[in-house]
């Protein structure tokens, strides 16, 4: 057997499997990439593995090199695979493309606008029926934002932060949380009993803390472990 086709999550994985089956090393095979790997919806659905063909090289025939120069050694399979992955991909475009692919998998035609800021970049999503993408209290949008940041940072030499927004949801959610904080602070003052809110993300807890940090009668703190960490609003100690 001097030729074999193998698959793997990456080209490198496929090559390693082929070398193991042939019982040889990288410098003794020629690698032909048949299929590039591709990511599926949320990395779970529609994932396509890499597929490569490995062919054993014949023993080299000793032929004098012109002008006495040494023949160029064959490129190792791992280096060839790495060369195939090198490029000038824009991390923000890769992130936006992922969002559009997710939308397509959900039957949504999405437009994604990239807005660069000082500390972060906002990917603003527009289109029809975005409620499905946002999810209950933004949980689906938060999960997608987490994945988007992972993908974007794979293509960046330095850390970048992306905020995913849709139909101005982030600002509307912030206003809802601030109103809730003020209302519950009033309840704590009236009843003299502390209030524990439902579990929230770190970003949403920060909104509550910031809104009430200068309140004259109540204070806030968080308790519990992620993802069930909650904000507690309680009375300040009397001096």
């Amino acid at each position: 057997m001097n030729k074999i086709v193998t698959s793997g999550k990456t080209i490198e994985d496929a090559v390693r499997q082929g070398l193991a089956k042939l019982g040889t090393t990288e410098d003794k095979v020629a690698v032909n990439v048949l299929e590039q790997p591709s990511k599926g919806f949320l990395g779970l659905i529609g994932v396509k593995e890499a597929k490569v063909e490995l062919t054993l090289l014949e023993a080299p025939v000793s032929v004098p090199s012109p002008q006495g120069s040494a023949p160029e050694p064959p490129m190792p399979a791992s280096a060839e695979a790495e060369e195939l992955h090198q490029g000038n991909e824009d991390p923000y475009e890769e992130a936006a493309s992922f969002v559009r692919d997710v939308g397509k998998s959900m039957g949504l035609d999405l437009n994604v606008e990239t807005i660069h800021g000082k500390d972060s970049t906002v990917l603003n999503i527009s289109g029809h029926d975005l409620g499905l993408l946002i999810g209950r209290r933004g949980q689906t949008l938060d999960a997608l934002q987490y994945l988007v940041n992972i993908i974007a940072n794979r293509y960046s030499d330095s850390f970048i932060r992306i905020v995913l927004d849709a139909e101005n949801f982030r600002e509307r959610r912030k206003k809802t949380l601030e109103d809730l904080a003020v209302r519950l602070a009033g309840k704590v003052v009236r009843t003299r009993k502390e209030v524990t809110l439902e579990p929230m993300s770190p970003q949403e807890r920060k909104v509550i803390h910031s809104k009430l940090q200068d309140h004259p009668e109540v204070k806030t703190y968080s308790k519990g472990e992620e993802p069930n960490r909650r904000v507690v609003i309680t009375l300040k100690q009397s001096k």
Side-chain angles (χ1 to χ4, degrees), residues 180-181 184-185 188 192-200 204-206 208-210 212-213 215 217-225 228-236:
L180 176 66
L184 292 180
V188 170
R192 318 306 291 176
K193 296 180 180 179
E194 70 179 26
V195 171
T196 301
L197 282 70
E198 64 184 15
M200 293 181 180
E204 293 192 336
R205 295 198 304 270
K206 183 178 179 181
I208 303 291
H209 292 312
S210 297
L212 298 179
Q213 65 182 354
H215 195 285
E217 298 182 73
V218 304
K219 62 180 180 180
T220 62
Y221 66 93
S222 295
K223 70 175 183 179
E225 301 295 330
N228 295 313
R229 195 161 172 80
R230 305 164 182 259
V231 173
V232 178
I233 305 174
T234 188
L235 288 171
K236 290 180 176 179

Side-chain angles (χ1 to χ4, degrees), residues 158-195:
S158 58
F159 178 76
I160 60 177
R161 178 173 178 266
I162 293 178
V163 175
L164 208 58
D165 201 0
E167 293 184 336
N168 203 30
F169 171 80
R170 298 296 183 192
E171 189 61 34
R172 290 187 287 111
R173 179 63 174 163
K174 179 182 178 183
K175 180 65 167 55
T176 298
L177 291 172
E178 289 177 338
D179 291 345
L180 176 66
V182 172
R183 187 168 69 253
L184 292 180
K187 179 179 179 181
V188 170
V189 172
R190 288 194 312 273
T191 63
R192 318 306 291 176
K193 296 180 180 179
E194 70 179 26
V195 171

Side-chain angles (χ1 to χ4, degrees), residues 27-42:
D27 59 329
K28 296 179 181 178
V29 298
V31 178
N32 180 26
V33 179
L34 302 178
E35 290 184 7
Q36 292 279 356
S38 65
K39 53 181 178 287
F41 172 47
L42 299 185

